[in-house]
Amino acid sequence: MAWVQRAIVGLVAAALLAGAGGALYVQRTFPALDGQIVVGGLRDGVRVQRDAADVTHIRAQSARDAWFAMGYVHAQERTWQLEFNRRVMHGELSEVFGPATLETDKLMRALDIMGHARKQYAGLPAHAREALQAYSQGIHAFHKNLPQALPPEFHVLGVKPGGATGAVWEPEDSVAWALMMALDLGGNWGNEFARLSMVRTLDTGRLWQLMPPYPGEPPAASADLAALYRQLGIYRDSATPPAPANTEGDKPVATSAGPQEAAAMLSRQVSQGMLAWTEDITRNAGNPEGKGSNNWVLAGTRTVSGKPLLANDPHLGLSAPAIWYFARLQAPAGVAADGTPIGAMDAIGATLPGLPFVVLGRTDSVAWGFTNTGPDVQDLYLEQINPADPSQYRTPQGWMPFALRTEVIRVKGQPDVVLALRATRHGPVLSDVQKSHAEVLDLRKYVLALRWSALDADNQTVLAGLQTNQAKSVRELFEALEPYHSPMQSVVAADVQGNIRFKAMGKVPVRHAGNDIRGVAPSPGWDARYDWQGWLPSSETPEDDGGSGWVATANQRVTAPGYAHYLAQDWVVPYRHDRIAQLIEATPRHDMASMQAIQVDTLSLATQRLLPHLRKAAPQHPLAAAVQALLRDFDGVMDAERAAPLVFAAWTDELAKGVIASRVGEDRFKATYGKRDYRAALEGILERDDAWWCQPLSCADQSAAARALDRLHAAHGADPARWRWGDAHPALSSHRPLGNVALLAPYFDVSVASPGDAYTVNVGQYNAGDAKGPFVNRHAASLRAVYDLADLEQSRFIYQTGQSGLVFSPRYRDMHSTWVQAGYRPLQREPARMRHDLRLVPAP
């Protein structure tokens, strides 16, 4: 194999260097950061400067040119990221990667992300469409007269930007990208299906022990789910074959290696990695666990300066390049083409490549931060098929025909896949494209359809984002956010006048008083009491003006006791929020340093809760005494340099497998584990000493099992004192797709040993169900930012890779060490000096 691996490197090098020297090609991939570029489509000149912190400053003479230049700059720095993301949401990955990504393409087509984005784009006011058009034109202008060589991903994979049509990024794509963020953050359909699957073998009481409601609350559903589903006869008999596939041309992967074994091996490695990625995407869609963030804001009464302080660290899947790009957008007040006044714009902070505005950041007088609120805005519905006519499904008014459409997916190296898709009055039929549904349900009798608020035509989230960049106060910011739709966000804000505020912004459905399932599991679609009854008015969503001196959100329940409306059951357990509260209350008056210290805190209250059970465990193992000695002074701080956090993580992992898998079944456990860690279930089982779950052993014997030590011995050696949590728990920002190729991953991925776990403020989420890297940190603080309203020029930020998405650039990974070491960079509108100065001038 060695010569084949060397051949792969040679193949990649040849693809990159054909017709040119290596150094010349590398240099030509870098964007022009200085000088002047003539750009067709601009109306006036735009100045693009990079400061010493590598924040990009765009100064334009009109908002339209600022949005245009933002598109141009995103294309300069992140053109492969834009191409990959465009293919994801269009369901066009398989044109490049073959059958490996077919399931993701099917899901995107079934959800009809692009169809809904086009409808939402058409419903935007003209001035918002003008902004998205300008942004798209800036991306197209970059590609029209390409001033630099395309990055290596295009050459290695043989991809043309924009595919066959050259549509590198259209205005509707920005709306679609906002929908993709809602898909990542705003759903619980995975939890609903998991509950339906689990009560096939568990009674409803055991289900609530396995997937407990929020601490201190009863289950939201009063229905006996297990009895309901048994009565309906929804499950597929093990002897019944799955329903026929709804595709034509979906054939096995060809096995021919092609003319060059090295090329074939490279292709296989990319495809295998993308297959794992697409399985993860389809498994984790609609699953809220681990998707969160922290933010908090302090009033001047709790700060040294007497003015507010605000902090935000959104937790997202780590990637290389990062999801964010930091920029400043500045333009004077003006008028849109339709006559709509556009206020002066001067915002700095985190932009998302794909959108033309600062998503998280500040203006000259107000700062804001988001976390995921997590209301239940997705409901699965069991739709009963007419046994006399399978083209119909049951409704409160009788049998109605499915809405039908056909999608054609191009697949590299294979015939096109013709995908027949159905929809009901609730929305798309997910069971047409989700393999897990076919393994559980009798699809000859029932299908599962999705009602999801984000797909509604009135979704104007991008309009809200554009308006925030003109805000001058907390009041103006929340007025700007009024059109915000999906996913609902817990927004904290502060201004230089001293005002602070929290409010949950977005759409939440109102459910019928007789709805005894409340969206926590699939509901009978033919019963009108399970239909949504309207929307919660914006005036009644949770809010807090900071009368107590501070407000913090960390995806915990944000409603006060006695709140009149039902929002959700699947809130994140409050460990991170409680720790933030502890740290805020521990210091009478805070400053920037203490705010930063809170952001990087790694004490896990969840670890502390289970530590007594681990300390009592006495496994029969040669390393047991040494390990127990390490645990004596372990306080729950998940330090990357310590062994005890690794012991704890391995113990909880093996305990979950030993206690839960045997009761729910290995296949069902594997299908759900990793998406959720069942930590709350383990806490309850051990604290109740629950013999039913722990059988055939006692809970003490399950806890003392030596499986974790056997595993750690094999993986990390015979000396526990040399074990390190950070070695097993690197923060991995993976490149798509070349991070899947073992020989290329060290160049394209960004990895650094990291602290934390899923429950620390400095979060380090891992997927224990991943056999290859069960403790690898793949979901962490995608950025950290702290804002000082006494002097906003003292604001700070950091994220985990670098501004450039170009792998050869020294700016590709230059923040990762600072990020993991709890450092920051200045976030200044008027920095002392600029490192680069580029002028974009309109064509004559």
Side-chain angles (χ1 to χ4, degrees):
M1 294 295 292
W3 74 267
V4 176
Q5 293 176 342
R6 288 193 296 271
I8 288 177
V9 175
L11 178 74
V12 173
L16 299 181
L17 307 180
L24 177 61
Y25 169 76
V26 168
Q27 190 63 36
R28 289 188 61 237
T29 64
F30 296 164
L33 303 182
D34 297 285
Q36 179 173 295
I37 301 177
V38 177
V39 181
L42 274 176
R43 295 175 183 171
D44 295 292
V46 176
R47 196 168 187 181
V48 179
Q49 297 174 297
R50 272 86 169 178
D51 65 23
D54 206 17
V55 176
T56 300
H57 296 248
I58 296 173
R59 305 171 193 260
Q61 298 179 48
S62 68
R64 186 264 174 198
D65 276 355
W67 296 321
F68 180 104
M70 188 76 266
Y72 191 92
V73 168
H74 280 164
Q76 273 190 313
E77 302 270 29
R78 303 291 185 88
T79 191
W80 172 252
Q81 185 178 37
L82 288 169
E83 174 68 20
F84 186 83
N85 291 345
R86 184 190 65 80
R87 287 186 174 275
V88 171
M89 60 199 188
H90 280 254
E92 294 178 355
L93 288 170
S94 299
E95 291 185 18
V96 176
F97 303 108
T101 53
L102 193 52
E103 296 308 310
T104 295
D105 284 348
K106 287 180 179 179
L107 179 60
M108 295 303 115
R109 301 293 183 96
L111 292 172
D112 196 16
I113 293 293
M114 291 310 306
H116 291 291
R118 293 182 185 103
K119 292 175 184 175
Q120 292 173 7
Y121 173 75
L124 291 171
H127 63 278
R129 295 198 304 272
E130 180 182 353
L132 301 187
Q133 290 161 8
Y135 179 76
S136 168
Q137 289 162 4
I139 296 174
H140 276 271
F142 171 81
H143 285 279
K144 186 175 181 180
N145 295 300
L146 199 63
Q148 64 196 66
L150 286 171
E153 294 92 334
F154 289 95
H155 300 291
V156 171
L157 298 168
V159 175
K160 178 183 177 182
T165 65
V168 287
W169 195 270
E170 302 307 304
E172 298 91 334
D173 290 334
S174 291
V175 180
W177 192 238
L179 279 177
M180 292 300 295
M181 294 305 297
L183 178 63
D184 185 45
L185 295 172
N188 75 327
W189 93 58
N191 272 358
E192 293 187 39
F193 181 74
R195 292 185 180 109
L196 176 144
S197 179
M198 290 297 181
V199 294
R200 189 176 186 180
T201 54
L202 297 176
D203 63 39
T204 303
R206 298 292 183 193
L207 171 68
W208 297 126
Q209 293 176 350
L210 179 65
M211 301 177 70
Y214 194 70
E217 297 182 1
S222 58
D224 186 337
L225 299 175
L228 171 66
Y229 296 146
R230 282 197 302 270
Q231 179 184 356
L232 293 175
I234 67 169
Y235 296 111
R236 182 173 74 86
D237 221 346
S238 57
T240 304
N246 65 336
T247 61
E248 301 172 12
D250 190 0
K251 298 180 176 64
V253 181
T255 58
S256 170
Q260 296 186 40
E261 188 175 353
M265 186 173 178
L266 174 62
S267 178
R268 284 196 298 270
Q269 287 193 18
V270 171
S271 294
Q272 288 166 1
M274 290 305 293
L275 179 61
W277 176 81
T278 202
E279 288 174 348
D280 187 58
I281 290 293
T282 53
R283 278 199 334 142
N284 287 332
N287 170 53
E289 188 159 320
K291 295 176 180 178
S293 308
N294 305 316
N295 65 15
W296 62 94
V297 60
L298 307 184
T301 56
R302 296 301 307 270
T303 70
V304 172
S305 71
K307 290 284 186 162
L309 292 166
L310 187 147
N312 189 198
D313 53 296
H315 307 156
L316 296 169
L318 301 181
S319 63
I323 193 171
W324 304 108
Y325 182 86
F326 269 73
R328 177 192 182 193
L329 289 171
Q330 182 184 20
V335 178
D338 67 346
T340 301
I342 299 176
M345 179 171 60
D346 195 351
I348 185 170
T351 71
L352 284 170
L355 295 171
F357 49 82
V358 172
V359 178
L360 300 171
R362 68 177 183 91
T363 65
D364 62 344
S365 50
V366 61
W368 66 94
F370 287 8
T371 70
N372 214 24
T373 309
D376 188 348
V377 295
Q378 291 180 343
D379 279 1
L380 287 179
Y381 287 92
L382 287 160
E383 308 285 20
Q384 187 176 11
I385 297 174
N386 187 346
D389 183 355
S391 69
Q392 297 180 330
Y393 69 100
R394 185 180 174 188
T395 76
Q397 291 76 40
W399 301 107
M400 288 182 60
F402 287 98
L404 303 175
R405 62 187 173 88
T406 299
E407 293 277 344
V408 178
I409 302 175
R410 296 178 60 191
V411 184
K412 181 180 179 181
Q414 293 196 6
D416 293 349
V417 168
V418 180
L419 188 63
L421 295 169
R422 295 175 287 183
T424 73
R425 66 194 185 95
H426 294 115
V429 174
L430 282 188
S431 51
D432 282 345
V433 295
Q434 293 279 80
K435 288 181 177 179
S436 58
H437 295 179
E439 294 165 357
V440 175
L441 292 173
D442 186 344
L443 296 181
R444 290 173 171 81
K445 296 180 181 178
Y446 298 93
V447 294
L448 280 174
L450 174 69
R451 176 74 173 97
W452 179 25
S453 61
L455 297 180
D456 289 3
D458 67 343
N459 186 345
Q460 296 192 345
T461 295
V462 293
L463 172 61
L466 289 164
Q467 292 179 166
T468 60
N469 287 197
Q470 303 165 40
K472 295 289 189 179
S473 67
V474 166
R475 178 184 59 80
E476 288 185 11
L477 179 81
F478 283 100
E479 287 175 353
L481 285 169
E482 273 301 311
Y484 189 92
H485 192 291
S486 300
M488 181 176 246
Q489 295 292 292
S490 295
V491 183
V492 297
D495 62 28
V496 295
Q497 288 78 35
N499 302 298
I500 70 169
R501 190 183 183 197
F502 149 74
K503 186 169 178 63
M505 301 299 297
K507 298 290 285 289
V508 181
V510 174
R511 291 176 171 82
H512 192 281
N515 185 338
D516 58 357
I517 297 177
R518 285 180 141 182
V520 301
S523 304
W526 56 91
D527 191 332
R529 66 183 163 137
Y530 297 115
D531 290 341
W532 294 355
Q533 306 299 303
W535 303 97
L536 184 65
S538 175
S539 61
E540 297 182 37
T541 63
E543 60 183 320
D544 186 338
D545 288 333
S548 66
W550 60 273
V551 185
T553 78
N555 320 113
Q556 84 287 359
R557 177 172 179 159
V558 295
T559 55
Y563 181 70
H565 307 287
Y566 171 75
L567 297 187
Q569 172 176 290
D570 293 322
W571 309 99
V572 172
V573 288
Y575 289 119
R576 281 186 287 110
H577 172 267
D578 292 350
R579 180 59 179 162
I580 292 168
Q582 285 180 358
L583 293 169
I584 290 175
E585 291 294 350
T587 300
R589 293 185 183 272
H590 287 266
D591 57 16
M592 288 286 283
S594 64
M595 295 284 278
Q596 294 169 23
I598 296 173
Q599 281 193 327
V600 297
D601 183 78
T602 56
L603 187 146
S604 172
L605 298 180
T607 296
Q608 286 186 335
R609 183 167 175 178
L610 285 184
L611 257 181
H613 299 279
L614 175 56
R615 289 198 177 107
K616 287 189 295 185
Q620 298 299 309
H621 193 281
L623 299 181
V627 168
Q628 285 291 359
L630 290 172
L631 293 172
R632 285 191 196 108
D633 64 347
F634 180 44
D635 53 4
V637 174
M638 305 299 281
D639 189 328
E641 296 301 316
R642 299 181 70 179
L646 177 58
V647 174
F648 179 84
W651 173 74
T652 54
D653 181 24
E654 292 297 334
L655 189 61
K657 293 172 181 175
V659 169
I660 296 172
S662 61
R663 305 307 293 161
V664 303
E666 287 288 342
D667 291 343
R668 195 165 290 113
F669 179 77
K670 288 179 180 178
T672 58
Y673 191 52
K675 289 188 292 185
R676 51 190 55 81
D677 63 7
Y678 293 113
R679 181 67 65 84
L682 284 179
E683 290 169 353
I685 289 166
L686 294 181
E687 289 165 4
R688 291 190 307 271
D689 195 17
D690 195 317
W692 187 88
W693 283 101
C694 291
Q695 62 180 294
L697 303 175
S698 68
C699 290
D701 287 340
Q702 286 280 13
S703 185
R707 296 184 302 268
L709 293 184
D710 287 338
R711 173 178 166 185
L712 293 173
H713 184 187
H716 299 279
D719 183 0
R722 298 174 67 86
W723 299 348
R724 294 290 181 271
W725 175 226
D727 293 341
H729 186 247
L732 177 62
S733 300
S734 185
H735 181 278
R736 295 288 176 259
L738 298 182
N740 300 317
V741 180
L743 290 172
L744 299 180
Y747 304 99
F748 286 87
D749 287 352
V750 178
S751 182
V752 59
S754 68
D757 69 3
Y759 306 99
T760 53
V761 179
N762 185 1
V763 77
Q765 177 92 9
Y766 55 85
N767 180 351
D770 182 351
K772 292 183 178 178
F775 304 127
V776 173
N777 178 4
R778 301 178 185 274
H779 197 104
S782 60
L783 69 85
R784 299 189 191 102
V786 183
Y787 305 93
D788 184 352
L789 278 298
D791 180 1
L792 278 168
E793 289 295 271
Q794 296 302 312
S795 300
R796 298 285 185 269
F797 84 101
I798 199 66
Y799 62 92
Q800 87 285 1
T801 56
Q803 286 277 75
S804 177
L806 305 168
V807 68
F808 298 122
S809 171
R811 301 164 50 241
Y812 181 76
R813 64 183 77 232
D814 62 332
M815 295 191 206
H816 78 292
S817 295
T818 306
W819 174 80
V820 82
Q821 294 166 9
Y824 293 79
R825 290 185 177 186
L827 185 62
Q828 299 174 320
R829 290 169 55 253
E830 301 295 340
R833 69 183 184 91
M834 293 292 181
R835 183 172 290 170
H836 298 285
D837 194 344
L838 175 68
R839 295 180 185 272
L840 304 180
V841 298

